[in-house]
Amino acid sequence: PLHHNRPMPKLEEFSQCRVSMYPRDHRPAHVHVEFRDGDRCTVEIASLKVVGTIRPASKLAEALDWIEANRASLLAQWEEIVR
């Protein structure tokens, strides 16, 4: 779905993608992963469930590792900006 609200500045940038969060977005708590080639998906922070199809799946590995390692701070940021 298209978001009519503006993205928060990117949280992290990798060689193939960036991770961002949107203010006033829907639950469950998630981040948006947007790839340079136009692919995109969301990742639920608590469960690391990927919503959307990214091929090959290994393309998402770097971002998933970062989200997992930063889960607590991402959940705190989510609570801060999504009201």
Side-chain angles (χ1 to χ4, degrees):
L2 292 174
H3 290 276
H4 298 290
N5 41 7
R6 300 174 53 160
M8 181 179 166
K10 68 182 177 287
L11 300 170
E12 188 60 60
E13 185 134 9
F14 300 101
S15 58
Q16 296 190 66
C17 65
R18 71 173 176 219
V19 178
S20 53
M21 204 178 275
Y22 294 90
R24 295 178 301 282
D25 210 345
H26 61 88
R27 292 190 179 274
H30 64 279
V31 292
H32 295 259
V33 182
E34 297 157 343
F35 292 85
R36 297 192 192 289
D37 64 9
D39 283 353
R40 54 184 53 222
C41 66
T42 61
V43 178
E44 292 179 11
I45 299 166
S47 66
L48 297 180
K49 177 183 173 194
V50 177
V51 180
T53 304
I54 300 299
R55 298 266 190 258
S58 60
K59 185 162 90 168
L60 191 55
E62 190 176 32
L64 276 179
D65 287 346
W66 182 83
I67 294 163
E68 183 175 26
N70 293 280
R71 189 179 284 162
S73 66
L74 289 170
L75 287 168
Q77 287 179 63
W78 172 272
E79 293 304 329
E80 197 60 32
I81 71 160
V82 178
R83 295 174 184 242

